[in-house]
């Protein structure tokens, strides 16, 4: 961001001159960016509507998050992947799509930008933009730099998600298949947790050591999502991935 920060109009009164608009209970609220920290987690709505048309080039939809217990809108598959990653991160409390319209100044004049998400976590707030690396333009960089300045002012974190490594998306997709509550009629959860108490064991071996390996595989995925079991995420999940004891976050 440093190379484009110079394009921003960061005068002495920029925190008062830059403004933000957000929607609360159906009404638009405007304020200087210095007061934006008062945005509540509940009751807010996207500042613009999502579009669904037959000829649109991006794919919009709704993603259900276990962390919040409800669906959240997205405007691309990249945004859907981000929502899934936020759900897996375990600290998520709420997330708002299209959270605010930022009006900021540059040396060439005023501009607007709508970040993609504002995530509320137990450790703070994250302002997030999602844009594939190949599609990031110079104008995008300036908008991202403006968002970063506002986040820094408010004590929020800011990140631009430009892509994912293939093994990350494949592992998240696999784990998310069993993220919802399961009925444990065979007592699999406690048995699998106990089986790694003495040390890590390969995923396939651990499932095969039970009375019902197919059921155990589903429970292993569920327990990994819930953090009651842990696994190294530096490579794709496989039969040889070492499963260890974890910590339950939910």
């Amino acid at each position: 961001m440093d190379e484009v920060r110079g394009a921003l109009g960061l005068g002495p009164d920029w925190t008062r001159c830059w403004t933000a608009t957000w929607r609360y209970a159906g009404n638009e609220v405007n304020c200087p960016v210095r007061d934006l920290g008062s945005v509540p987690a509940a009751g807010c709505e996207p500042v613009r509507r999502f579009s669904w048309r037959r000829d649109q080039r991006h794919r919009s939809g709704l993603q259900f998050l276990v962390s919040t217990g409800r669906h959240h809108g997205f405007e691309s598959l990249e945004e859907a992947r981000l929502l899934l990653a936020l759900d897996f991160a375990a600290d998520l409390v709420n997330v708002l799509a299209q959270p605010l319209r930022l009006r900021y100044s540059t040396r060439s004049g005023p501009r607007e930008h709508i970040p993609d998400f504002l995530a509320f976590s137990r450790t703070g707030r994250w302002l997030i933009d999602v844009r594939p690396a190949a599609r990031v333009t110079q104008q995008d960089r300036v908008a991202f730099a403006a968002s970063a300045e506002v986040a820094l002012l408010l004590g929020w974190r800011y990140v631009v998600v430009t892509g994912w490594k293939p093994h990350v998306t494949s592992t998240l997709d696999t784990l998310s298949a069993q993220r919802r509550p399961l009925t444990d009629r065979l007592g699999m959860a406690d048995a699998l947790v106990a089986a790694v108490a003495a040390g890590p064991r390969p995923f396939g071996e651990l499932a095969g050591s039970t009375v019902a390996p197919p059921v155990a595989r589903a429970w292993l995925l569920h327990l990994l999502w819930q953090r009651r079991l842990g696994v190294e995420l530096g490579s794709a999940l496989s039969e040889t991935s070492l499963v260890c004891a974890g910590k339950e976050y939910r």
Side-chain angles (χ1 to χ4, degrees), residues 161-198:
V161 179
T162 59
W164 300 92
K165 292 184 178 180
H167 79 269
V168 173
T169 55
S170 64
T171 299
L172 282 178
D173 284 342
T174 301
L175 295 178
S176 67
Q178 301 297 337
R179 57 183 167 151
R180 301 198 187 205
L182 299 178
T183 301
D184 193 6
R185 300 184 185 279
L186 298 177
M188 281 288 181
D190 291 340
L192 290 168
V193 171
V196 297

Side-chain angles (χ1 to χ4, degrees), residues 38-52:
S38 61
V39 175
C44 289
E45 306 165 2
V47 294
R48 63 179 174 83
R49 295 182 180 275
F50 292 95
S51 61
W52 284 271

Side-chain angles (χ1 to χ4, degrees), residues 146-158:
S147 299
E149 288 294 329
V150 173
L152 181 63
L153 170 71
L154 299 171
W156 299 353
R157 298 176 183 178
Y158 177 69

Side-chain angles (χ1 to χ4, degrees), residues 46 49-53 56 58-65 70-81 83 97-98 117:
R49 295 182 180 275
F50 292 95
S51 61
W52 284 271
R53 303 188 310 274
Q56 71 183 20
H58 61 278
R59 179 178 173 181
S60 301
L62 296 172
Q63 178 76 275
F64 179 81
L65 302 187
R70 60 188 178 87
H71 288 85
H72 298 264
F74 61 83
E75 291 190 307
S76 67
L77 293 178
E78 289 80 9
E79 291 186 8
R81 294 188 185 103
L83 287 172
Q98 316 296 325
F117 296 102

Side-chain angles (χ1 to χ4, degrees), residues 11-34:
D13 295 330
W14 77 271
T15 61
R16 180 178 58 83
C17 297
W18 290 22
T19 63
T21 300
W22 41 285
R23 292 183 62 85
Y24 180 77
N27 299 310
E28 286 196 351
V29 180
N30 298 287
C31 68
V33 294
R34 65 186 181 186

